[in-house]
Amino acid sequence: MDPAGHLLSDAQSESLHSKWTLLSSSGDGLPAVTFGNWLRAQHYTVVASYHPAGRFWPFQFIEAGWMGLLILLLGIATVWLLRRRIG
């Protein structure tokens, strides 16, 4: 989050990381600063979100379901295309 409390976009986060990379690799004799410490010095806050452990298996079944459906559809398309070319 930026100093005003707004969530950053991916592009803004990458821009900050690029600035830190340039500053930390400048070789001007300054002590090395970690990215997290540099963000705190700039008044940014790192926010993490996670899903509770109790939702692990439902997520696994949802993922397996749509991947299984995708595999089935791709298999049907492959068989259909092969029969069309052969016959």
PDB file of all heavy atoms in Angstrom, residues 13-27 33-35 38:
ATOM      1  N   SER A  13       3.951  -1.586  -8.402  1.00  0.00           N
ATOM      2  CA  SER A  13       4.836  -2.410  -7.571  1.00  0.00           C
ATOM      3  C   SER A  13       6.136  -2.718  -8.301  1.00  0.00           C
ATOM      4  O   SER A  13       7.222  -2.637  -7.720  1.00  0.00           O
ATOM      5  CB  SER A  13       4.148  -3.716  -7.186  1.00  0.00           C
ATOM      6  OG  SER A  13       3.005  -3.470  -6.415  1.00  0.00           O
ATOM      7  N   GLU A  14       6.026  -3.059  -9.582  1.00  0.00           N
ATOM      8  CA  GLU A  14       7.222  -3.342 -10.373  1.00  0.00           C
ATOM      9  C   GLU A  14       8.075  -2.095 -10.530  1.00  0.00           C
ATOM     10  O   GLU A  14       9.309  -2.170 -10.526  1.00  0.00           O
ATOM     11  CB  GLU A  14       6.823  -3.899 -11.732  1.00  0.00           C
ATOM     12  CG  GLU A  14       6.263  -5.302 -11.648  1.00  0.00           C
ATOM     13  CD  GLU A  14       5.752  -5.813 -12.987  1.00  0.00           C
ATOM     14  OE1 GLU A  14       6.125  -5.252 -14.033  1.00  0.00           O
ATOM     15  OE2 GLU A  14       4.977  -6.777 -12.974  1.00  0.00           O
ATOM     16  N   SER A  15       7.445  -0.937 -10.654  1.00  0.00           N
ATOM     17  CA  SER A  15       8.181   0.319 -10.757  1.00  0.00           C
ATOM     18  C   SER A  15       8.972   0.591  -9.482  1.00  0.00           C
ATOM     19  O   SER A  15      10.138   1.003  -9.534  1.00  0.00           O
ATOM     20  CB  SER A  15       7.208   1.465 -11.046  1.00  0.00           C
ATOM     21  OG  SER A  15       7.872   2.696 -11.002  1.00  0.00           O
ATOM     22  N   LEU A  16       8.354   0.369  -8.328  1.00  0.00           N
ATOM     23  CA  LEU A  16       9.060   0.539  -7.059  1.00  0.00           C
ATOM     24  C   LEU A  16      10.234  -0.416  -6.946  1.00  0.00           C
ATOM     25  O   LEU A  16      11.324  -0.037  -6.503  1.00  0.00           O
ATOM     26  CB  LEU A  16       8.109   0.300  -5.887  1.00  0.00           C
ATOM     27  CG  LEU A  16       7.220   1.454  -5.473  1.00  0.00           C
ATOM     28  CD1 LEU A  16       6.252   0.996  -4.406  1.00  0.00           C
ATOM     29  CD2 LEU A  16       8.045   2.619  -4.976  1.00  0.00           C
ATOM     30  N   HIS A  17      10.024  -1.667  -7.347  1.00  0.00           N
ATOM     31  CA  HIS A  17      11.108  -2.649  -7.283  1.00  0.00           C
ATOM     32  C   HIS A  17      12.247  -2.248  -8.213  1.00  0.00           C
ATOM     33  O   HIS A  17      13.422  -2.390  -7.866  1.00  0.00           O
ATOM     34  CB  HIS A  17      10.592  -4.048  -7.624  1.00  0.00           C
ATOM     35  CG  HIS A  17      11.576  -5.114  -7.309  1.00  0.00           C
ATOM     36  ND1 HIS A  17      12.460  -5.601  -8.239  1.00  0.00           N
ATOM     37  CD2 HIS A  17      11.835  -5.767  -6.148  1.00  0.00           C
ATOM     38  CE1 HIS A  17      13.218  -6.513  -7.670  1.00  0.00           C
ATOM     39  NE2 HIS A  17      12.864  -6.638  -6.410  1.00  0.00           N
ATOM     40  N   SER A  18      11.922  -1.710  -9.378  1.00  0.00           N
ATOM     41  CA  SER A  18      12.952  -1.255 -10.316  1.00  0.00           C
ATOM     42  C   SER A  18      13.752  -0.100  -9.718  1.00  0.00           C
ATOM     43  O   SER A  18      14.980  -0.043  -9.856  1.00  0.00           O
ATOM     44  CB  SER A  18      12.330  -0.818 -11.634  1.00  0.00           C
ATOM     45  OG  SER A  18      11.704  -1.897 -12.268  1.00  0.00           O
ATOM     46  N   LYS A  19      13.066   0.834  -9.043  1.00  0.00           N
ATOM     47  CA  LYS A  19      13.769   1.949  -8.399  1.00  0.00           C
ATOM     48  C   LYS A  19      14.724   1.441  -7.335  1.00  0.00           C
ATOM     49  O   LYS A  19      15.869   1.884  -7.244  1.00  0.00           O
ATOM     50  CB  LYS A  19      12.770   2.914  -7.768  1.00  0.00           C
ATOM     51  CG  LYS A  19      12.018   3.761  -8.740  1.00  0.00           C
ATOM     52  CD  LYS A  19      11.052   4.678  -8.002  1.00  0.00           C
ATOM     53  CE  LYS A  19      10.182   5.431  -8.985  1.00  0.00           C
ATOM     54  NZ  LYS A  19       9.182   6.273  -8.282  1.00  0.00           N
ATOM     55  N   TRP A  20      14.247   0.479  -6.518  1.00  0.00           N
ATOM     56  CA  TRP A  20      15.093  -0.076  -5.476  1.00  0.00           C
ATOM     57  C   TRP A  20      16.300  -0.788  -6.083  1.00  0.00           C
ATOM     58  O   TRP A  20      17.412  -0.667  -5.592  1.00  0.00           O
ATOM     59  CB  TRP A  20      14.291  -1.040  -4.600  1.00  0.00           C
ATOM     60  CG  TRP A  20      15.156  -1.804  -3.629  1.00  0.00           C
ATOM     61  CD1 TRP A  20      15.707  -1.336  -2.494  1.00  0.00           C
ATOM     62  CD2 TRP A  20      15.577  -3.149  -3.757  1.00  0.00           C
ATOM     63  NE1 TRP A  20      16.440  -2.317  -1.877  1.00  0.00           N
ATOM     64  CE2 TRP A  20      16.373  -3.443  -2.636  1.00  0.00           C
ATOM     65  CE3 TRP A  20      15.340  -4.150  -4.695  1.00  0.00           C
ATOM     66  CZ2 TRP A  20      16.946  -4.682  -2.448  1.00  0.00           C
ATOM     67  CZ3 TRP A  20      15.913  -5.385  -4.496  1.00  0.00           C
ATOM     68  CH2 TRP A  20      16.707  -5.645  -3.381  1.00  0.00           C
ATOM     69  N   THR A  21      16.065  -1.527  -7.178  1.00  0.00           N
ATOM     70  CA  THR A  21      17.157  -2.248  -7.832  1.00  0.00           C
ATOM     71  C   THR A  21      18.218  -1.277  -8.325  1.00  0.00           C
ATOM     72  O   THR A  21      19.419  -1.505  -8.161  1.00  0.00           O
ATOM     73  CB  THR A  21      16.622  -3.087  -9.006  1.00  0.00           C
ATOM     74  OG1 THR A  21      15.632  -3.983  -8.512  1.00  0.00           O
ATOM     75  CG2 THR A  21      17.729  -3.878  -9.668  1.00  0.00           C
ATOM     76  N   LEU A  22      17.781  -0.181  -8.941  1.00  0.00           N
ATOM     77  CA  LEU A  22      18.732   0.818  -9.430  1.00  0.00           C
ATOM     78  C   LEU A  22      19.502   1.454  -8.284  1.00  0.00           C
ATOM     79  O   LEU A  22      20.712   1.650  -8.367  1.00  0.00           O
ATOM     80  CB  LEU A  22      18.008   1.898 -10.236  1.00  0.00           C
ATOM     81  CG  LEU A  22      17.491   1.480 -11.603  1.00  0.00           C
ATOM     82  CD1 LEU A  22      16.658   2.599 -12.227  1.00  0.00           C
ATOM     83  CD2 LEU A  22      18.654   1.124 -12.520  1.00  0.00           C
ATOM     84  N   LEU A  23      18.824   1.790  -7.200  1.00  0.00           N
ATOM     85  CA  LEU A  23      19.492   2.409  -6.057  1.00  0.00           C
ATOM     86  C   LEU A  23      20.450   1.449  -5.367  1.00  0.00           C
ATOM     87  O   LEU A  23      21.541   1.847  -4.963  1.00  0.00           O
ATOM     88  CB  LEU A  23      18.451   2.906  -5.051  1.00  0.00           C
ATOM     89  CG  LEU A  23      17.628   4.106  -5.486  1.00  0.00           C
ATOM     90  CD1 LEU A  23      16.517   4.373  -4.470  1.00  0.00           C
ATOM     91  CD2 LEU A  23      18.502   5.328  -5.648  1.00  0.00           C
ATOM     92  N   SER A  24      20.062   0.183  -5.237  1.00  0.00           N
ATOM     93  CA  SER A  24      20.908  -0.769  -4.526  1.00  0.00           C
ATOM     94  C   SER A  24      22.090  -1.232  -5.360  1.00  0.00           C
ATOM     95  O   SER A  24      23.073  -1.712  -4.825  1.00  0.00           O
ATOM     96  CB  SER A  24      20.094  -1.981  -4.070  1.00  0.00           C
ATOM     97  OG  SER A  24      19.609  -2.695  -5.190  1.00  0.00           O
ATOM     98  N   SER A  25      22.011  -1.070  -6.679  1.00  0.00           N
ATOM     99  CA  SER A  25      23.128  -1.502  -7.527  1.00  0.00           C
ATOM    100  C   SER A  25      23.952  -0.324  -8.020  1.00  0.00           C
ATOM    101  O   SER A  25      24.775  -0.474  -8.900  1.00  0.00           O
ATOM    102  CB  SER A  25      22.595  -2.295  -8.724  1.00  0.00           C
ATOM    103  OG  SER A  25      21.818  -1.460  -9.560  1.00  0.00           O
ATOM    104  N   SER A  26      23.762   0.849  -7.429  1.00  0.00           N
ATOM    105  CA  SER A  26      24.489   2.023  -7.909  1.00  0.00           C
ATOM    106  C   SER A  26      25.971   1.963  -7.566  1.00  0.00           C
ATOM    107  O   SER A  26      26.786   2.601  -8.210  1.00  0.00           O
ATOM    108  CB  SER A  26      23.864   3.303  -7.343  1.00  0.00           C
ATOM    109  OG  SER A  26      23.977   3.315  -5.932  1.00  0.00           O
ATOM    110  N   GLY A  27      26.335   1.185  -6.525  1.00  0.00           N
ATOM    111  CA  GLY A  27      27.747   1.010  -6.190  1.00  0.00           C
ATOM    112  C   GLY A  27      28.385   2.259  -5.619  1.00  0.00           C
ATOM    113  O   GLY A  27      29.571   2.476  -5.767  1.00  0.00           O
ATOM    114  N   VAL A  33      20.536  -2.224   1.487  1.00  0.00           N
ATOM    115  CA  VAL A  33      19.250  -2.125   2.168  1.00  0.00           C
ATOM    116  C   VAL A  33      18.319  -3.133   1.511  1.00  0.00           C
ATOM    117  O   VAL A  33      18.226  -3.200   0.287  1.00  0.00           O
ATOM    118  CB  VAL A  33      18.670  -0.700   2.045  1.00  0.00           C
ATOM    119  CG1 VAL A  33      17.302  -0.621   2.695  1.00  0.00           C
ATOM    120  CG2 VAL A  33      19.615   0.314   2.641  1.00  0.00           C
ATOM    121  N   THR A  34      17.608  -3.915   2.338  1.00  0.00           N
ATOM    122  CA  THR A  34      16.665  -4.874   1.775  1.00  0.00           C
ATOM    123  C   THR A  34      15.468  -4.133   1.199  1.00  0.00           C
ATOM    124  O   THR A  34      15.186  -2.983   1.564  1.00  0.00           O
ATOM    125  CB  THR A  34      16.177  -5.865   2.842  1.00  0.00           C
ATOM    126  OG1 THR A  34      15.443  -5.148   3.823  1.00  0.00           O
ATOM    127  CG2 THR A  34      17.339  -6.611   3.478  1.00  0.00           C
ATOM    128  N   PHE A  35      14.774  -4.802   0.317  1.00  0.00           N
ATOM    129  CA  PHE A  35      13.615  -4.185  -0.338  1.00  0.00           C
ATOM    130  C   PHE A  35      12.548  -3.823   0.689  1.00  0.00           C
ATOM    131  O   PHE A  35      11.963  -2.732   0.644  1.00  0.00           O
ATOM    132  CB  PHE A  35      13.049  -5.131  -1.405  1.00  0.00           C
ATOM    133  CG  PHE A  35      11.929  -4.551  -2.210  1.00  0.00           C
ATOM    134  CD1 PHE A  35      12.075  -3.359  -2.883  1.00  0.00           C
ATOM    135  CD2 PHE A  35      10.712  -5.204  -2.282  1.00  0.00           C
ATOM    136  CE1 PHE A  35      11.045  -2.812  -3.635  1.00  0.00           C
ATOM    137  CE2 PHE A  35       9.668  -4.678  -3.028  1.00  0.00           C
ATOM    138  CZ  PHE A  35       9.834  -3.482  -3.706  1.00  0.00           C
ATOM    139  N   TRP A  38      13.605  -0.754   2.612  1.00  0.00           N
ATOM    140  CA  TRP A  38      13.518   0.421   1.733  1.00  0.00           C
ATOM    141  C   TRP A  38      12.066   0.868   1.591  1.00  0.00           C
ATOM    142  O   TRP A  38      11.769   2.060   1.630  1.00  0.00           O
ATOM    143  CB  TRP A  38      14.125   0.103   0.365  1.00  0.00           C
ATOM    144  CG  TRP A  38      14.138   1.270  -0.561  1.00  0.00           C
ATOM    145  CD1 TRP A  38      15.032   2.298  -0.563  1.00  0.00           C
ATOM    146  CD2 TRP A  38      13.218   1.523  -1.628  1.00  0.00           C
ATOM    147  NE1 TRP A  38      14.708   3.180  -1.562  1.00  0.00           N
ATOM    148  CE2 TRP A  38      13.602   2.727  -2.233  1.00  0.00           C
ATOM    149  CE3 TRP A  38      12.111   0.854  -2.118  1.00  0.00           C
ATOM    150  CZ2 TRP A  38      12.925   3.275  -3.314  1.00  0.00           C
ATOM    151  CZ3 TRP A  38      11.434   1.391  -3.192  1.00  0.00           C
ATOM    152  CH2 TRP A  38      11.842   2.591  -3.779  1.00  0.00           C
TER     153      TRP A  38
END
